[in-house]
Structure formats: structure tokens, C-alpha cells
Amino acid sequence: MKKNIKLIMCLLVSVSLLLTGCGDSNEADTVRIGVLVSDTTSAEALAFRNYFTEYIQNQFNVEFIYSDELVDSAQEISAFETFITNNVKAVISFSSFDRSAQIELAEKQGIFYAVATGTLTDEEYDKFKNYEYYVGAIGPSLEREFETGYDMANHYLDQGKSNFAIFGGAIPYYTDMHIYRAAGMLYAMVKAGGEGANYKGQATVEGIVGQIYADGSIDTGAVGDVEILGYVGGYDMDDAWFAMCTQMAQLPGLEVLLAVGNGSDFFGAAVQGSNVKIASVDAFASAYGEAMENGVLDYLAGKFSASIGPIFIATLRAVQGNPVRTDNNEALALSQGYWIATSFEEFERLYALDSSVEAPAYSKEMLSLLLNASYDEFSDFVSQYSYDQIRNLTQ
Amino acid sequence: MKKINIKNRIMNFAPIFGLIALSMMFFVIGSLRNINVLFGLKAILNQSVVVAIVATGAIFIYSLGSFDISLGASVTVSALLGAITFNATNSILLMFLVCILVAVSIALFNSVLASIFNLPVFVTTIAMLSVLNAIVLLLISVNGTGSTVSISASSVQNLNTEWFKIATLMVFAGLCTFLFNFTRLGRMQKFIGGNPICARLTGISSKKISIISFALSGLGVGIGAFLLIVYAPTLTRNSASSVGMDVIIAIVFGGMPISGGARSKIYSAIVGSFSMTFLSQIMVMFNMNSGINQIVKAIIFILVVYLATSNQRRKILPR
């Protein structure tokens, strides 16, 4: 048995050496970038990861090191420390349990830090904008999130629908983006609800947002002539939670289920065969195309996988000593929006532009234009995120 | 016979050999991959110490042949109440004491509940897990700002050092080692875990020992909760959510027999905790996807456990 132990230990070391020896000979010149993620399995998360690891990593001399799925700030710090151990030059974060701690740790360790698919709050930006190692953020602003929810609800209000249910996603966890999307939905209902319509006494954007923050949920009831028949929030994903989802999707009289995040995965089975429409905010991924084709998903406000290309370039430039800063030496703060599809045909048309890691919406050639762009030029590129605008960029 | 004894002794220390092997792999691969080894050791300490301390305290429960699934939730509740106390008093000492007091109280409640209703401890801890999770949500909704309860990082910055964590771990591990290996308490625990009927017939009060064991486990939870706050001052409903499972894995990985008894080892928790972290760090260096990482970890886990327990299986007396 002693020999077996020795043999196993030798094998472990040998395999380690062998695997290590298989590394790329240009590894010394490779820029290592850590990626913090709070989701590793959703279609959106996989689409983003594939773009980075299957396209960007093959086009630029970078290596992405991903965290495991993070669930709290302690794990964020642990993952960050692991990145530092692996001598990453920068971290791109999709996780926001403790954004401040991440930025402070990066600054202390001399590692560039960037926020993908999100933005800082105004207070956070004011605090960190001049940090040397804070690259910036590119993603939907909270105002854009509000508009997304507003447009979604308005799409159905214009059709004369008046009986809604809302899936609040991470509202119970006070996730800003979900709160603002929901607020947009409610504001659209207030506007459509007739004279005196309000949500719990609130009829302004600020009031509705504040009410959701105060409650951590959304109440059912009348908003003037519009009815909120049901609400489910959180991601408990236990039997009781799924039962509540099913029950909500099958409420008598329900016409539309508005989801601040993914809706078809949680409610699709329950609405099958009914006339209830599901509207989601998620990503342009093949799974949601299938959901639209099958009639499970009726409206998709989605991010495209290559939308994270510009933040990668900004991060790479920072590492290379050519950061994208304003004239006042402030970090990036750019907003992106969503692609909207209201039919399978429209989904197919949009998805064709970003359906393959071989030919993403933002190619190497397009991104390379940003390597020496000024802040204004960079901003102009990022602002052209609509399907038509990107098509024009590719031609 | 002498040869067999030597083999048995070697096999008993298989988890330690595993830890040595993993650390060697870390240094070898790390050197070749040009990692920051010194910072890596700091990271490994940070990522292991909470689990190591909680698991060390939990050994006193597991050696009885009992099982506590609510440890992670207990860490969360203790940490939340500690942070709330700090925000109210600005006192780190009070924060520490509250963490300890809450954790020990929860542990004792578990033990007493099992005694009163004459239920297996496992059952009461399952119920306690649900209760504690509900308390977590309540504490955050009542006391948090949004979905978090946090204290300022600068308040605990002076304690967030390697030396403080090493010292804390050494003191607690030393205390537990003394109690477990050099006092009647440890011997009685092993006796109860090995053969509860015989232990009862010899006059050992399993209820009394159980209460003491849970109190020590609670002490570990409280210290772990305090260190969690020091490390990550922003707490959420998911804080320490993985600690419960990590403790179980660490203990088993460290060579602790699940059935408890005479072959229980107090060092299993520390060996297992650090082994797990070394393994995780090694997997990151290979930069494989999460799925493959989990599979490889599982295989290595099974291998180590097999080696650690293969000798024991032939030696366990029928009950």
C-alpha cells in the first residue's frame, strides 16, 4: 500500500507537470484577465463566456480565468485573491455583491478593474472615477433599464391588454437593475391607467422606484384601469417557489406576464396551450429563439453576446498603458441598450448578426478600431448598439 | 505483523500525505505558471480559515456519530447579528462576543431540542436550518440596507491580517486538540461514537456530552462568523451559504470517519479544509471549465477518502 501511495503521488505530480508543459509557448506574453461571474449556467452567461473564451481569446493574446459561480461578497474576494495569485493584469466583473470592495482591492493590488453589462451608481462613479486602476463600466444604465421595462409593458398596453402579472426576479435582493425595470413597467401602467392612476399612491418615476425599494416587492391590485393580478419575486427555486410561479402563470384572466429577467424558463411550461404572453429581459441566445418559435416567449429584450467586446478593449488598453479616459482623467461610464424582438422572425433576423463565435456582432476588425480611439470615438462606437447601427458598422 | 502495523499507520495519515501532495503540486505548477506564490498562500489561508475553524469545532459533534447540517446558516445568523451589533455600538469586542453568544446559543438549542424530543440530532438540525434561513431573511429585511448588512471595511482592517487568522486558528485548534486528545471529554466522545450502547452501560451520559460537544461546535461557529465579517464586511442572505457543505467535505476529506468513534481525528478538519483549497487553487491554474473542475475535484476527493478509509473498513467491529 505504501508503494501505491508513492505511485499515486508521483502520478499526480507527473500529470501536473505534463499538463503544465502543454501550455502555450507564448504564455509569458499573454495578458491574463480574471472574470468574476455570479452566474455560470444561464443562456446569457454562457453566451458571454463563449464570446470571451471562444472568440476574443483566439483573436487577441489574452487568457481569461473565470471564477466559479459566486453567491456572496466573501466568495468575490476569494475569487479576486485567486486571480491575484495567478498574476492577472485585470479583472472584468459580472458580479456585484460588493462592488466597492472589488474596486478597492483592485486599486490596492494594482490590478485594472472593469464592470461588464452594468454600470455604477452615480455615487459610486463619483467615488471611483479617478482611481488609477478603475477602467470603467459599459452596460445598460439604470435609466436604460427603466426604459426597457416601460417599453415592454407599453408594447402590450398599446394592444389593449390590461391584466398583468409581474415576475420581479431579484427585487427582493434589491438588485438595482431589476427594480428599475419593474418601475418602468409600473410607470407605463400608471400612464395607461387613466386619470388619477397610481401605484400605491405613487405616480412619478422617483416615487415608484422609491416605493419598490421600500417594499422589496410589488403589490398586486389596480393601477387605475390596469390590473396587476399576480407577483412572484426572488429565485428560491424550491418546490414551493415553482408552485407559486405555476399558480401565477395560470391566474384566471391573466393576459401578459412581464418578467424583469428570464420569464420563459420559469413560466413557459405553465402557459403552454394558453393565451398568456410572456415577455422577458435576457439575452439573444438560441434557447430563447426556440421559445419564441414555440410560442412560449412573445417579447424579448436581450443583450447580444458580443456587447461585452468594448469593455474588453478598454481593459486591454488599460493593461497596455493606453487607458480610455475623459479629458478630466475620469473612467469610462457608457451605457448600452437592448435588442428587442417581438416575433420569432424578428429574433432570427437579429440573432443572425451575433449567432456564432466565428462571426460575432463585434469582430476583431471592429474592436481593433477602438484600440487607439479617443474617449469620444469610443463612446460613439458603444452608443451604436442597435441592430441596424451595428450592421452599418460592419459594412 | 509489524509490516501490517506500519502500513496501517501510513494509511491512517493518508489525508496528510494528500495535503502534502496537493501543496507540492501547488508550488510546482505555480512556479511553472509563474504565479504569485506568496500571495497564493495568503489567499489559501483566507479561503480556508473559516471552514477550518468551524469544522474543527464540528468534529466534537461528528465524533459522536451525529450530524449537523445547519452550521452554515448558524454562521450566517451569528455574523449578521454581530455586524448589527457593531453598527449599533461601534465595538469590535461586542461584535465578537455577540457572534460567540449567538452561535453557542443556537448550538445548545439544537442539542437540547434533540434531548427533549428524543430525536436524532440530524433531524433537529434540519429543522433548525429552515428556521435559521428564515431568521437570516428577517434580519436583513429589518436591519439591512437593501439586501445587505455591512460594516465599514476600515473598522476591521487591522484584524484582516494573516497573523491574526493564523493565531486564531492555532489557539482554537490547540484548545480543541487538548480537549479531544488529552481529556476525558474526548475519550468519552469517541466511546459514544464507537458504541453508544456500551457507553451508556458504563455510565456515560450521552446527553451531557452532547451538550458540551454542541457548545464547542458553537464556539467554532462564532469564531468563524467573526472572521467572516473581518474578511468580507458586506453580508447577504447567501453569506456563508457554502460553509455547511464545505465543513462536511473538509471533515471527510481530512480522514474523519462519518460514523465517528475511536478513529475520529481532530486534525481532520484543518487538513481537509486546506486540502480542498489547495485543490481549488490548482484547478484554477489549469483554467478548465467549472464542470471539469468539479469532476476532477470529485475524483480526487473519492480517491483520498478511499485511501483514508480502506484500512478502517476492515477494522470496524460489528455493532
Side-chain angles (χ1 to χ4, degrees):
Chain A
M1 187 60 70
K2 181 178 179 181
K3 291 180 179 178
N4 288 345
I5 294 174
K6 289 182 177 178
L7 178 62
I8 291 170
M9 292 179 69
C10 289
L11 283 174
L12 287 174
V13 175
S14 300
V15 169
S16 304
L17 293 172
L18 179 63
L19 290 173
T20 305
C22 293
D24 195 309
S25 59
N26 294 324
E27 193 171 277
D29 300 325
T30 302
V31 174
R32 288 178 182 164
I33 299 176
V35 184
L36 292 172
V37 293
S38 57
D39 180 6
T40 58
T41 58
S42 72
E44 179 185 75
L46 292 174
F48 286 146
R49 183 165 186 157
N50 283 342
Y51 179 67
F52 267 177
T53 60
E54 302 300 324
Y55 184 76
I56 294 294
Q57 197 163 264
N58 293 329
Q59 301 297 324
F60 297 85
N61 192 18
V62 298
E63 178 188 5
F64 292 103
I65 300 177
Y66 269 76
S67 71
D68 288 333
E69 185 165 299
L70 307 173
V71 300
D72 65 5
S73 62
Q75 289 189 3
E76 280 181 342
I77 296 172
S78 293
F80 218 108
E81 289 179 341
T82 298
F83 292 156
I84 296 168
T85 299
N86 283 269
N87 276 328
V88 302
K89 300 301 182 185
V91 170
I92 297 175
S93 178
F94 293 81
S95 180
S96 59
F97 292 105
D98 194 345
R99 186 78 74 192
S100 294
Q102 295 176 42
I103 295 175
E104 296 285 1
L105 183 56
E107 193 76 8
K108 180 180 179 182
Q109 297 296 333
I111 292 174
F112 293 101
Y113 176 89
V115 175
T117 69
T119 59
L120 302 191
T121 65
D122 291 341
E123 293 75 20
E124 288 172 332
Y125 180 71
D126 284 342
K127 179 179 180 182
F128 298 120
K129 63 187 179 183
N130 293 118
Y131 273 36
E132 180 181 359
Y133 289 94
Y134 177 58
V135 174
I138 299 177
S141 66
L142 294 180
E143 290 73 19
R144 189 72 201 97
E145 300 288 9
F146 178 91
E147 292 168 6
T148 299
Y150 181 92
D151 292 343
M152 177 187 286
N154 214 43
H155 173 78
Y156 293 99
L157 291 165
D158 284 347
Q159 295 176 13
K161 308 293 186 183
S162 60
N163 295 316
F164 294 86
I166 295 176
F167 172 56
I171 288 176
Y173 319 139
Y174 297 87
T175 297
D176 296 331
M177 67 176 75
H178 286 195
I179 288 176
Y180 273 79
R181 292 172 192 168
M185 296 171 184
L186 294 175
Y187 188 66
M189 294 177 189
V190 167
K191 301 287 282 184
E195 186 175 352
N198 63 83
Y199 171 71
K200 300 187 72 173
Q202 306 297 334
T204 65
V205 173
E206 295 76 13
I208 293 172
V209 169
Q211 190 67 57
I212 299 175
Y213 272 109
D215 298 339
S217 65
I218 293 174
D219 288 2
T220 58
V223 180
D225 297 332
V226 179
E227 288 282 346
I228 302 174
L229 300 180
Y231 170 79
V232 169
Y235 291 98
D236 292 345
M237 295 190 182
D238 53 18
D239 289 343
W241 185 82
F242 279 109
M244 284 194 295
C245 292
T246 299
Q247 185 179 38
M248 183 172 81
Q250 296 174 344
L251 285 169
L254 180 65
E255 295 175 297
V256 183
L257 196 157
L258 303 172
V260 302
N262 185 302
S264 53
D265 284 359
F266 303 133
F267 302 94
V271 304
Q272 204 95 45
S274 74
N275 292 321
V276 176
K277 308 295 185 182
I278 294 178
S280 290
V281 182
D282 210 294
F284 271 76
S286 59
Y288 303 122
E290 293 174 12
M292 297 201 93
E293 185 175 26
N294 295 333
V296 172
L297 184 62
D298 188 69
Y299 182 108
L300 173 64
K303 299 167 184 169
F304 55 100
S305 64
S307 62
I308 58 177
I311 196 63
F312 160 72
I313 290 294
T315 305
L316 183 62
R317 285 183 55 169
V319 171
Q320 294 174 340
N322 181 27
V324 187
R325 310 286 282 194
T326 67
D327 291 340
N328 296 327
N329 194 37
E330 295 172 351
L332 274 174
L334 301 178
S335 182
Q336 286 174 318
Y338 294 88
W339 288 354
I340 307 296
T342 57
S343 68
F344 174 64
E345 291 71 27
E346 189 171 19
F347 176 94
E348 273 200 315
R349 182 173 65 89
L350 273 60
Y351 188 56
L353 193 62
D354 194 54
S355 61
S356 167
V357 293
E358 284 77 33
Y362 288 148
S363 66
K364 177 183 180 183
E365 290 70 30
M366 295 169 69
L367 294 176
S368 294
L369 297 174
L370 298 177
L371 287 173
N372 291 296
S374 67
Y375 186 97
D376 288 343
E377 291 167 339
F378 204 100
S379 177
D380 184 61
F381 181 97
V382 171
S383 68
Q384 299 182 59
Y385 58 79
S386 74
Y387 169 81
D388 290 331
Q389 288 169 322
I390 293 177
R391 281 197 66 199
N392 289 336
L393 288 173
T394 61
Q395 293 171 355
Chain B
M1 180 59 68
K2 181 179 179 181
K3 187 175 182 180
I4 294 175
N5 286 337
I6 294 174
K7 284 186 178 180
N8 292 342
R9 290 191 177 187
I10 292 173
M11 291 305 299
N12 286 338
F13 292 101
I16 295 178
F17 294 140
L19 175 58
I20 294 170
L22 289 168
S23 60
M24 288 172 59
M25 288 175 65
F26 174 77
F27 284 108
V28 171
I29 299 170
S31 298
L32 293 171
R33 289 270 298 173
N34 191 33
I35 71 166
N36 187 337
V37 173
L38 290 180
F39 193 91
L41 293 176
K42 172 185 174 182
I44 288 169
L45 174 66
N46 284 335
Q47 295 167 27
S48 302
V49 68
V50 171
V51 171
I53 287 176
V54 175
T56 296
I59 289 287
F60 289 91
I61 296 175
Y62 285 85
S63 65
L64 296 174
S66 295
F67 198 79
D68 187 346
I69 202 171
S70 66
L71 292 173
S74 184
V75 172
T76 309
V77 170
S78 302
L80 285 169
L81 287 172
I84 291 168
T85 299
F86 179 84
N87 286 333
T89 65
N90 208 39
S91 169
I92 290 181
L93 177 60
L94 280 179
M95 178 172 74
F96 174 74
L97 292 176
V98 166
C99 286
I100 299 295
L101 181 62
V102 170
V104 171
S105 297
I106 292 170
L108 291 178
F109 186 78
N110 269 325
S111 179
V112 172
L113 201 65
S115 297
I116 291 174
F117 292 102
N118 196 29
L119 293 170
V121 170
F122 174 73
V123 173
T124 61
T125 62
I126 290 178
M128 181 58 68
L129 177 62
S130 295
V131 172
L132 293 175
N133 283 334
I135 292 173
V136 167
L137 295 178
L138 180 64
L139 288 173
I140 290 180
S141 64
V142 172
N143 295 277
T145 302
S147 61
T148 66
V149 171
S150 61
I151 69 172
S152 63
S154 59
S155 302
V156 291
Q157 187 173 353
N158 291 339
L159 297 178
N160 191 22
T161 65
E162 295 75 68
W163 296 114
F164 177 75
K165 294 170 187 176
I166 291 172
T168 303
L169 177 60
M170 290 179 68
V171 169
F172 184 67
L175 171 65
C176 292
T177 300
F178 173 75
L179 293 173
F180 196 76
N181 290 340
F182 301 105
T183 69
R184 292 181 68 248
L185 172 65
R187 291 194 294 276
M188 286 190 285
Q189 287 186 319
K190 295 173 185 175
F191 200 171
I192 293 170
N195 195 324
I197 295 174
C198 190
R200 179 169 59 82
L201 291 175
T202 60
I204 295 175
S205 171
S206 62
K207 290 183 179 179
K208 180 179 178 182
I209 298 300
S210 177
I211 289 173
I212 295 172
S213 300
F214 270 86
L216 289 167
S217 176
L219 179 61
V221 167
I223 296 172
F226 179 75
L227 291 179
L228 175 66
I229 300 170
V230 167
Y231 182 57
T234 297
L235 305 172
T236 68
R237 66 196 293 264
N238 289 322
S239 294
S241 59
S242 65
V243 167
M245 184 58 66
D246 288 345
V247 163
I248 297 171
I249 294 172
I251 287 174
V252 176
F253 203 90
M256 174 77 179
I258 295 176
S259 58
R263 293 187 177 82
S264 303
K265 306 178 185 69
I266 193 66
Y267 64 76
S268 297
I270 293 176
V271 170
S273 300
F274 281 88
S275 294
M276 282 199 322
T277 307
F278 270 113
L279 180 57
S280 294
Q281 291 290 330
I282 291 166
M283 298 313 302
V284 170
M285 285 190 275
F286 287 127
N287 200 19
M288 291 182 281
N289 70 50
S290 294
I292 295 177
N293 284 349
Q294 296 301 325
I295 292 171
V296 173
K297 287 180 185 178
I299 291 172
I300 294 176
F301 175 80
I302 291 171
L303 179 64
V304 172
V305 173
Y306 169 77
L307 291 175
T309 60
S310 60
N311 186 45
Q312 294 172 19
R313 286 197 299 271
R314 296 192 296 268
K315 296 294 185 177
I316 295 175
L317 295 173
R319 296 185 178 183

